[in-house]
């Protein structure tokens, strides 16, 4: 029997839509638990969830194409409500005997729907409202059992309901913000149709995971690699609550950390949570490996190899450890093509513990694998982690080595740490930290510029400020930080940090640029 984080589960069958994760998020935000599953999951596997309802996502294929993804045609035998979205609607309608054809007029983008029936799925939604369409096919002939709920001038069956079965279909995407009343529609499906009770809470998830970890670990010992980032910190706090002294955390000081990073980790986990924290000071080894190296990929490779060696040696000293805890998140599970569908897991190792190789011989514990990033932050708050740690911006695994262009030296790292601290201080002071996704300083060590300080000529480093806004870090736009804040950052860096005489602002988006410089 599958162990799930809640007893009200809405599986989302993923037919390949770019919005599939967004559907799952919207369901959770509305107070029910959702999980993405393969579209060809069997009815027996679905039954193990004891679902309150099912959602069939959109997808890029056409239902009449050879090899188009299909679902188990016995789906409706579960007797629970089903909501089909776009391609999901077409698949379900085809199973129910409807004809699907290429639309005479394709719809992409905003469209106006006219609501004909607002009794259940469309309850409270205006008679005329905007939705987001993205389809080239549509239901061409509606079986007698299907009742039209809404239409557009070119899509007569924009929303339908089956007369006998608890099936609803919408040709548009209610999960995107471009459909203003889409959340209302999903809420209606969850509570008016599926009769969910709005009880999905992070405190319930926390307690469920505590019990799951205790059952899995028994009296054995667990190692957790701490990086100071959000994911590994939340894992450590959760495991500490679950198994206490059976947990040992390893924090590797590689000499490439932000200013006061080590002190923050030690204070939080050794003093506040009373965790057995082993701090390994390997800064000299890492810096020695990087001496004279300027190629970014070579830097990353050397850092990765040294980290594995240092971590393995530290883990060998913990003789009774059988488990390695990792901060694998739900997007990692999805990207790997796995979940609860019954397929064998082959999840990529998480960067928070350095991408440790399988030959270390530990069994894995991944208590965050059901959560998205924002949910991990909520869990961190529930566990009592400090706000400044829970809401920290991401920090790359190779640390400041990818924020110093050119050769890495202790002197250059110290210059960057001081500049970066000023950037974050001003960001926080102006209440911009939570409204930006990632902000940091970069030292252009291979680029020096002429300047004048006092009556003297200087020839020193250039510092770049990088600030981005993003939802998923796959794409990002540069953040519009107010000019006066940037001016203060620049003035402080040039006046307070010896070795920098020029500050520039990076206004590149991703793509084509990346967020990090190396």
């Amino acid at each position: 029997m599958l162990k799930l984080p809640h007893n009200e589960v809405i599986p989302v069958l993923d037919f390949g839509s770019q919005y599939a994760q967004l559907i799952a998020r919207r369901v959770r935000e509305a107070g029910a638990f959702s999980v993405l599953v393969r579209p060809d999951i069997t009815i027996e596997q679905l039954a193990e969830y004891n679902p309150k309802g099912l959602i069939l996502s959109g997808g890029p294929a056409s239902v009449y194409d050879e090899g188009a993804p299909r679902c188990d045609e016995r789906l409706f035998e579960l007797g629970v409500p089903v909501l089909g979205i776009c391609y999901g609607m077409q698949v379900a309608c085809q199973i129910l005997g409807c004809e699907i054809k290429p639309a005479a007029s394709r719809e992409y983008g905003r469209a106006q729907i006219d609501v004909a029936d607002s009794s259940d799925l469309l309850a409270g939604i205006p008679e005329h409202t905007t939705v987001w369409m993205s389809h080239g096919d549509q239901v061409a002939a509606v079986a007698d059992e299907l009742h039209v709920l809404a239409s557009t001038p070119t899509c007569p069956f924009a929303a339908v309901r089956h007369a006998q079965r608890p099936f609803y279909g919408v040709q548009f995407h209610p999960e995107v913000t471009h459909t203003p009343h889409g959340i209302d529609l999903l809420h209606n499906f969850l509570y008016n149709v599926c009769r969910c009770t709005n009880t999905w809470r992070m405190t319930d998830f926390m307690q469920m995971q505590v019990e799951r970890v205790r059952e899995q670990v028994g009296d054995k010992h667990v190692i957790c690699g701490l990086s100071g980032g959000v994911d590994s910190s939340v894992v450590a706090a959760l495991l500490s609550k679950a198994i206490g002294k059976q947990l040992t955390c390893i924090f590797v000081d590689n000499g490439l950390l932000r200013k006061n990073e080590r002190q923050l980790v030690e204070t939080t986990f050794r003093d506040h949570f009373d965790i057995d924290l082993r701090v390994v000071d390997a800064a000299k080894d890492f810096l020695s490996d990087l001496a004279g190296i300027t190629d970014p990929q070579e830097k990353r490779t050397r850092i990765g190899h040294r980290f594995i060696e240092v971590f393995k040696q530290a883990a060998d000293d913990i003789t009774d450890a059988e488990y390695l805890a990792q901060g694998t998140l739900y997007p990692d599970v999805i990207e790997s093509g796995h979940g609860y569908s019954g397929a064998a897991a082959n999840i990529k190792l998480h960067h928070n513990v350095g991408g440790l190789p399988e030959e270390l011989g530990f069994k894995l514990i991944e208590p965050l694998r059901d959560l998205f990033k924002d949910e991990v932050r909520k869990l961190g708050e529930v566990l009592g982690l400090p706000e400044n740690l829970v809401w920290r911006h991401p920090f790359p695994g190779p640390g400041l080595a990818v924020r110093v262009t050119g050769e890495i030296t202790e002197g250059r790292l110290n210059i960057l740490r001081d500049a970066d601290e000023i950037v974050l201080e001003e960001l926080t002071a102006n209440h911009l930290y939570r409204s930006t996704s990632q902000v940091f300083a970069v030292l252009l060590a291979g680029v020096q510029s002429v300047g004048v300080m006092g009556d003297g000529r200087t020839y020193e480093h250039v510092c770049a400020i990088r600030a981005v806004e993003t939802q998923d870090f796959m794409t990002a736009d540069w953040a519009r930080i107010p000019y006066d804040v940037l001016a203060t950052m620049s003035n402080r860096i040039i006046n307070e940090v010896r070795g920098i005489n020029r500050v520039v602002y990076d206004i590149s988006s991703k793509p084509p640029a990346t967020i990090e410089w190396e």
Side-chain angles (χ1 to χ4, degrees):
M1 183 69 182
L2 291 169
K3 290 187 176 181
L4 297 168
H6 200 259
N7 59 0
E8 291 192 346
V9 182
I10 305 291
V12 178
L13 278 66
D14 182 6
F15 288 95
S17 170
Q18 60 180 317
Y19 304 129
Q21 288 190 40
L22 189 55
I23 298 171
R25 290 172 63 90
R26 294 289 184 247
V27 171
R28 294 187 189 190
E29 289 167 359
F33 186 74
S34 63
V35 59
L36 283 177
V37 297
R38 293 172 55 95
D40 57 356
I41 185 172
T42 66
I43 189 174
E44 289 81 14
Q45 291 170 320
L46 279 172
E48 291 188 51
Y49 290 97
N50 192 26
K52 294 286 286 186
L54 303 174
I55 296 179
L56 313 184
S57 85
S62 296
V63 293
Y64 49 79
D65 283 349
E66 184 178 353
R70 304 289 297 178
C71 60
D72 191 327
E73 296 199 359
R74 301 172 296 160
L75 203 67
F76 298 103
E77 295 177 15
L78 284 173
V80 300
V82 177
L83 173 64
I85 296 175
C86 199
Y87 181 90
M89 170 189 177
Q90 296 166 17
V91 167
C93 285
Q94 194 177 56
I95 292 173
L96 292 170
C98 299
E99 185 181 2
I100 313 297
K101 286 186 175 181
S105 177
R106 296 183 178 187
E107 289 182 304
Y108 293 99
R110 290 179 175 85
Q112 195 82 8
I113 65 166
D114 299 316
V115 175
D117 184 339
S118 57
S119 60
D120 46 16
L121 185 69
L122 303 182
I125 293 177
E127 184 179 353
H128 307 290
T129 186
T130 301
V131 298
W132 186 261
M133 292 282 195
S134 180
H135 68 99
D137 299 334
Q138 63 184 29
V139 177
V142 176
D144 293 340
E145 294 83 4
L146 287 179
H147 176 66
V148 176
L149 302 180
S151 61
T152 75
T154 58
C155 183
F157 314 118
V160 298
R161 178 183 65 230
H162 197 275
Q164 283 81 39
R165 298 181 185 273
F167 168 70
Y168 297 79
V170 293
Q171 188 58 69
F172 52 88
H173 289 275
E175 70 273 21
V176 301
T177 56
H178 302 304
T179 301
H181 291 280
I183 301 303
D184 298 327
L185 185 152
L186 290 173
H187 194 276
N188 287 338
F189 178 71
L190 294 173
Y191 299 105
N192 295 350
V193 178
C194 297
R195 302 298 178 186
C196 292
T197 56
N198 191 20
T199 55
W200 157 244
R201 297 292 183 270
M202 194 53 68
T203 50
D204 298 330
F205 178 88
M206 177 191 70
Q207 191 55 46
M208 184 270 177
Q209 283 294 342
V210 164
E211 294 171 3
R212 177 189 285 182
V213 168
R214 286 173 180 166
E215 181 180 342
Q216 181 180 359
V217 172
D219 60 355
K220 305 302 181 184
H221 210 86
V222 179
I223 293 175
C224 177
L226 267 179
S227 70
V230 177
D231 303 338
S232 67
S233 297
V234 171
V235 168
L238 179 65
L239 292 178
S240 176
K241 183 177 182 64
I243 57 175
K245 295 301 182 181
Q246 292 170 246
L247 171 68
T248 296
C249 292
I250 298 175
F251 178 77
V252 177
D253 183 351
N254 58 11
L256 305 168
L257 306 174
R258 289 168 285 197
K259 197 166 188 177
N260 300 321
E261 180 90 6
R262 177 170 170 173
Q263 292 90 323
L264 173 65
V265 171
E266 289 188 290
T267 299
T268 301
F269 293 98
R270 182 175 286 154
D271 300 340
H272 183 67
F273 282 97
D274 191 27
I275 285 175
D276 178 18
L277 175 63
R278 313 283 178 91
V279 177
V280 182
D281 190 346
K284 290 183 179 179
D285 293 329
F286 279 89
L287 293 180
S288 176
D289 291 341
L290 294 171
I293 303 301
T294 59
D295 179 72
Q297 196 57 38
E298 182 65 20
K299 289 180 186 177
R300 290 176 177 272
T301 299
R302 292 187 176 220
I303 291 168
H305 287 164
R306 176 61 66 176
F307 187 93
I308 291 170
E309 183 179 326
V310 171
F311 193 94
K312 187 176 187 303
Q313 185 175 355
D316 286 343
D317 293 336
I318 306 170
T319 56
D320 58 343
E322 288 193 13
Y323 293 90
L324 175 66
Q326 293 195 151
T328 306
L329 304 189
Y330 201 43
D332 299 323
V333 178
I334 296 166
E335 288 168 8
S336 303
H338 303 293
Y340 294 104
S341 62
N346 185 24
I347 308 303
K348 61 185 180 183
L349 293 175
H350 199 264
H351 71 272
N352 277 355
V353 289
L356 296 175
E358 294 180 3
E359 57 264 26
L360 286 181
F362 294 110
K363 301 172 186 175
L364 285 182
I365 292 180
E366 298 169 315
L368 307 184
R369 59 181 282 131
D370 292 320
L371 301 182
F372 294 98
K373 187 73 171 187
D374 58 326
E375 294 172 324
V376 172
R377 296 189 192 279
K378 292 176 184 176
L379 177 58
E381 291 179 328
V382 170
L383 287 164
L385 283 169
E387 181 179 354
N388 65 335
L389 197 156
V390 170
W391 291 97
R392 298 192 85 183
H393 288 179
F395 188 63
L400 298 181
V402 295
R403 294 180 181 174
V404 174
T405 63
E407 184 181 1
I408 306 297
T409 67
E410 183 64 35
R412 290 175 174 179
L413 289 169
N414 287 332
I415 291 173
L416 178 57
R417 286 189 185 100
D418 290 340
D420 191 66
E421 183 180 40
I422 290 171
V423 169
L424 295 180
E425 282 179 355
E426 292 302 324
L427 196 72
T428 303
N430 288 277
H431 309 291
L432 295 171
Y433 192 90
R434 292 277 289 271
S435 62
T436 49
S437 302
Q438 194 169 357
V439 182
F440 54 89
V442 179
L443 186 69
L444 309 187
V447 179
Q448 292 186 304
S449 78
V450 175
V452 177
M453 291 186 176
D455 294 324
R457 176 181 179 275
T458 62
Y459 192 60
E460 295 179 327
H461 296 299
V462 176
C463 174
I465 297 173
R466 179 66 159 148
V468 299
E469 296 174 348
T470 178
Q471 292 293 321
D472 55 14
F473 289 91
M474 299 301 292
T475 61
D477 193 15
W478 60 278
R480 274 61 169 177
I481 293 179
Y483 292 154
D484 58 337
V485 177
L486 290 173
T488 302
M489 290 177 180
S490 176
N491 289 337
R492 284 195 59 194
I493 290 172
I494 291 173
N495 289 326
E496 298 176 29
V497 182
R498 289 186 176 274
I500 295 175
N501 68 356
R502 188 180 298 269
V503 176
V504 299
Y505 191 52
D506 184 347
I507 59 170
S508 309
S509 296
K510 175 187 179 182
T514 56
I515 294 177
E516 298 291 344
W517 274 52
E518 288 197 341

